[in-house]
Amino acid sequence: MQSSLVSNLEPAIPIESETPRNGRSPLQRLMESDGLHAVFQPLVDLRNGSVYGHEALIRGPVDGPLHMPLALFECAASESVLMEFELRCVDVILREWLSARLPGNLFVNLSADALVRASATVLPRMLASSGVDPRKLVIELTENERATDPQSLIRVVDAMGPTGVRLALDDFGDGHSNLRRWAELKPRFVKLDKFLTRNVTGNRENFEMVRAVVALSEAFGTQLVAEGIETGDDLRTLRDLGVAIGQGYFLGRPARTPPAVLPRDAADVLADRRLVVLPMPGQLARPGILRNLVLVKAPAVEPGTTNEEVAAIFQAQPELHALAVVHHGKPVALVNRREFTDHFARLYFREVHGRKACISHANRTPRVIDLDDDVSELMGILTSDDQRYLSEGFVVAEQGKYLGLGTGEQLVRAVTETRIEAARHANPLTFLPGNIPISLHIERLLSSGIDFVAGYADLNDFKPFNDHYGYWRGDEVIRTVARLLVANCDACQDFVGHVGGDDFIVLFQGDDWEARCRRVIDEFASQAIGLYDEADRLAGGIRAEDRHGTMRFFPCATLCIGAVHIAPGTCRTVEDVATEAARAKHGAKTAASGLAVYEADGHRIEAAGAAC
């Protein structure tokens, strides 16, 4: 094989170089002297932990300035030999791949224009010369530059199908790759850029974007490859989201001869089938939720508009409850119809103020709501001491620019509907996941076929406390339970949900669930007594009516947890798990320790002592 790929090209695919003929640049000398070599980074099947293939990356001399790819490609671009260099890289990679005898598939980077120019003859000839099976080759289409001829690219990709060479769309999510390219090229693989995957466990926005792309991949029949995996938490989250293949330093670094097995830490994560607790959609805090708000498309007036002109607008449009005063597109005041009409009807008002600017009789501190605010802005209006906003409404803007008006009626309806919807997902008192997320997580656990423990937490003697001290202090007791449960659970693998009232569900995957339950029970006992008045603390409880209206003594409230071990196959539905957990909770009421443990078949494992 000749030292320079350019001499292998057929006349039908010329590649011109602007490199001066009176000398060879350092890059040209590397290309002609076999100064380039390949390293290979593993891609791992996240479903079973096997090595799915390797991405090939080009390198120059280790101690030289042209060692890393960025320097090499910048040099090639500056010398106008970028396409020649790309194809030389492919030639080097194919030869070294065969020599390395690595398992799985070979992922090779190539620009769109280089693929179009080389697909007909150069690439098939290189494959034949190297002996690499085309069915093992995946072309990663880099998106740093757009294809010069998109239609030719589509035709080339269509023609690749029968040869066995497959296509991957690289760096999806970095601002270059897009859905249109995905739909047009129908790649076998889409590689998620590290911008999306890095810290996906702790970044809600990235998490939601990856979840959306997973849904798209299922619709398109495409396998996703997550790049940039650097932690065990991100690896576990991406696996549980349904990403098929992973790549990153946590799974293996690029090397000329990469290890045949995964690093121990990565192997342990993939062998652990416990599920990540997925973030719950934040209905109340989600920006943009106000975009569903029905607006009054009311005209706006300038600050210098006269009162007579405002009166004419109100007369012509009797349905308007207010007019926004806008300066340079931004709302600065609000004219309330009722107040303005009262002023205008006064004796001599028209004669004295008719030609004056309307801004003098407008509310210069109107409530302005932006469509990208969260619903708490609306709730702030309802709870404000200044209730005039309910009668005169509020101004709606988008990025500060006036859009329209909102009425008090629309305000109440929007807040009510939003809170009803949010309550299905999060308990409004504790903000813990409500019944829908609880059910969804139980379904995930059942589908995974793993062991887990469902703990049902409930308060003893809470109703008398609530009746005696009132709902505010009762709410504080419930929030105390919520805080303790969250503080004593592993956020990555234990799911804490609030069913309602003083009932909580905890879904444990860790082996130390029993110790966590006991800590919650003990810590609640020490903290809850502080919510009683001093005399009641000294007495050890309160006198209150029971459910039958009879006055009697109730000891200080305590927490009980009924825990049921759900082995694979013992429960088929969410309802089955809920039933078993409720049975365990009733058993916990008679356990002195406050903890009772059952198997899903109803067998009681532990219930120490008498009533708590």
Side-chain angles (χ1 to χ4, degrees), residues 71-228:
L72 288 166
F73 278 91
E74 286 180 346
C75 186
S78 68
E79 296 177 13
S80 300
V81 292
L82 190 56
M83 193 172 297
E84 176 185 356
F85 177 68
E86 280 195 75
L87 295 176
R88 179 60 178 163
C89 291
V90 175
D91 188 29
V92 171
I93 287 166
L94 291 176
R95 287 188 287 109
E96 295 191 4
W97 167 261
L98 199 67
S99 301
R101 299 183 180 278
L102 296 173
N105 302 280
L106 172 62
F107 287 68
V108 177
N109 292 281
L110 208 56
S111 68
D113 285 351
L115 178 59
V116 170
R117 298 284 293 279
S119 62
T121 54
V122 177
L123 187 58
R125 189 166 58 249
M126 285 193 293
L127 284 167
S129 175
S130 66
V132 173
D133 185 349
R135 294 171 297 180
K136 297 288 188 180
L137 180 62
V138 180
I139 299 295
E140 288 193 26
L141 195 62
T142 58
E143 287 280 329
N144 293 329
E145 295 182 2
R146 296 297 188 193
T148 303
D149 186 352
Q151 292 306 312
S152 293
L153 176 63
I154 294 173
R155 289 193 294 270
V156 165
V157 171
D158 289 342
M160 281 170 45
T163 70
V165 178
R166 290 162 293 172
L167 182 73
L169 194 62
D170 196 18
D171 297 332
F172 188 86
D174 73 343
H176 295 288
S177 300
N178 57 48
L179 290 176
R180 178 176 178 179
R181 181 59 55 87
W182 188 346
E184 288 177 342
L185 299 180
K186 300 177 177 61
R188 180 68 176 274
F189 306 92
V190 165
K191 301 191 75 174
L192 297 176
D193 187 75
K194 58 181 176 289
F195 166 77
L196 290 180
T197 60
R198 187 166 294 169
N199 194 28
V200 67
T201 304
N203 187 309
R204 182 182 295 276
E205 289 74 19
N206 283 16
F207 177 90
E208 293 297 344
M209 284 190 286
V210 172
R211 178 150 56 182
V213 178
V214 169
L216 281 174
S217 71
E218 293 172 352
F220 283 123
T222 306
Q223 285 189 297
L224 291 182
V225 181
E227 297 180 306

Side-chain angles (χ1 to χ4, degrees), residues 300-358:
V301 296
E302 291 289 333
T305 304
T306 67
N307 288 316
E308 286 185 343
E309 291 171 320
V310 169
I313 294 174
F314 279 138
Q315 185 174 5
Q317 301 185 51
E319 72 282 0
L320 288 182
H321 69 282
L323 273 176
V325 181
V326 174
H327 184 57
H328 297 311
K330 295 187 176 182
V332 295
L334 190 67
V335 181
N336 178 271
R337 180 192 189 96
R338 181 179 56 78
E339 291 182 2
F340 179 85
T341 303
D342 288 346
H343 284 300
F344 208 75
R346 292 176 183 173
L347 189 62
Y348 303 123
F349 184 91
R350 181 190 297 268
E351 289 77 5
V352 176
H353 301 284
R355 295 183 181 274
K356 292 182 179 180
C358 66

Side-chain angles (χ1 to χ4, degrees), residues 365-376:
T365 58
R367 191 63 179 255
V368 179
I369 300 295
D370 195 282
L371 287 184
D372 288 324
D373 288 339
D374 62 59
V375 76
S376 65

Side-chain angles (χ1 to χ4, degrees), residues 273-565:
R273 304 315 296 176
R274 289 177 295 184
L275 301 180
V276 168
V277 177
L278 303 180
M280 183 189 66
Q283 290 291 104
L284 284 175
R286 189 178 68 214
I289 198 170
L290 302 183
R291 291 186 176 273
N292 297 324
L293 193 66
V294 178
L295 302 183
V296 177
K297 297 295 184 180
V301 296
E302 291 289 333
T305 304
T306 67
N307 288 316
E308 286 185 343
E309 291 171 320
V310 169
I313 294 174
F314 279 138
Q315 185 174 5
Q317 301 185 51
E319 72 282 0
L320 288 182
H321 69 282
L323 273 176
V325 181
V326 174
H327 184 57
H328 297 311
K330 295 187 176 182
V332 295
L334 190 67
V335 181
N336 178 271
R337 180 192 189 96
R338 181 179 56 78
E339 291 182 2
F340 179 85
T341 303
D342 288 346
H343 284 300
F344 208 75
R346 292 176 183 173
L347 189 62
Y348 303 123
F349 184 91
R350 181 190 297 268
E351 289 77 5
V352 176
H353 301 284
R355 295 183 181 274
K356 292 182 179 180
C358 66
I359 190 72
S360 61
H361 288 85
N363 172 15
R364 299 194 187 208
T365 58
R367 191 63 179 255
V368 179
I369 300 295
D370 195 282
L371 287 184
D372 288 324
D373 288 339
D374 62 59
V375 76
S376 65
E377 294 295 327
L378 287 182
M379 289 191 285
I381 299 176
L382 287 182
T383 58
S384 171
D385 292 334
D386 190 349
Q387 291 295 294
R388 62 179 169 171
Y389 297 119
L390 289 177
S391 59
E392 72 177 23
F394 52 95
V395 181
V396 181
E398 184 172 25
Q399 297 182 349
K401 296 293 185 180
Y402 173 73
L403 283 185
L405 300 177
T407 67
E409 179 184 357
Q410 291 164 344
L411 164 65
V412 173
R413 183 184 299 116
V415 170
T416 302
E417 291 176 354
T418 302
R419 298 196 71 170
I420 289 173
E421 176 63 20
R424 300 173 64 220
H425 296 270
N427 187 282
L429 177 61
T430 61
F431 299 107
L432 289 175
N435 291 326
I436 289 179
I438 292 171
S439 297
L440 291 175
H441 191 71
I442 293 176
E443 287 177 354
R444 290 182 64 224
L445 292 170
L446 293 175
S447 299
S448 71
I450 63 173
D451 285 47
F452 66 97
V453 171
Y456 199 137
D458 184 35
L459 288 169
N460 291 312
D461 299 320
F462 172 69
K463 185 180 184 304
F465 177 96
N466 199 55
D467 292 343
H468 182 76
Y469 288 114
Y471 73 89
W472 186 90
R473 215 184 293 190
D475 286 350
E476 186 57 32
V477 172
I478 293 173
R479 282 192 288 263
T480 298
V481 176
R483 286 194 296 269
L484 292 174
L485 288 172
V486 171
N488 284 282
C489 288
D490 184 336
C492 289
Q493 61 185 13
D494 299 332
F495 181 99
V496 182
H498 189 174
V499 178
D502 59 335
D503 291 351
F504 295 82
I505 285 286
V506 186
L507 303 167
F508 296 101
Q509 295 182 78
D511 296 332
D512 58 349
W513 59 269
E514 184 174 349
R516 294 179 184 274
C517 288
R518 293 192 185 280
R519 281 201 301 271
V520 173
I521 292 170
D522 292 343
E523 289 178 15
F524 178 82
S526 64
Q527 292 187 25
I529 196 169
L531 294 171
Y532 285 79
D533 290 343
E534 183 177 3
D536 295 330
R537 287 199 299 271
L538 294 175
I542 57 175
R543 291 191 60 81
E545 289 186 355
D546 62 17
R547 296 181 183 275
H548 305 290
T550 303
M551 290 294 296
R552 67 182 186 86
F553 181 79
F554 291 92
C556 293
T558 55
L559 183 67
C560 290
I561 301 177
V564 57
H565 171 230

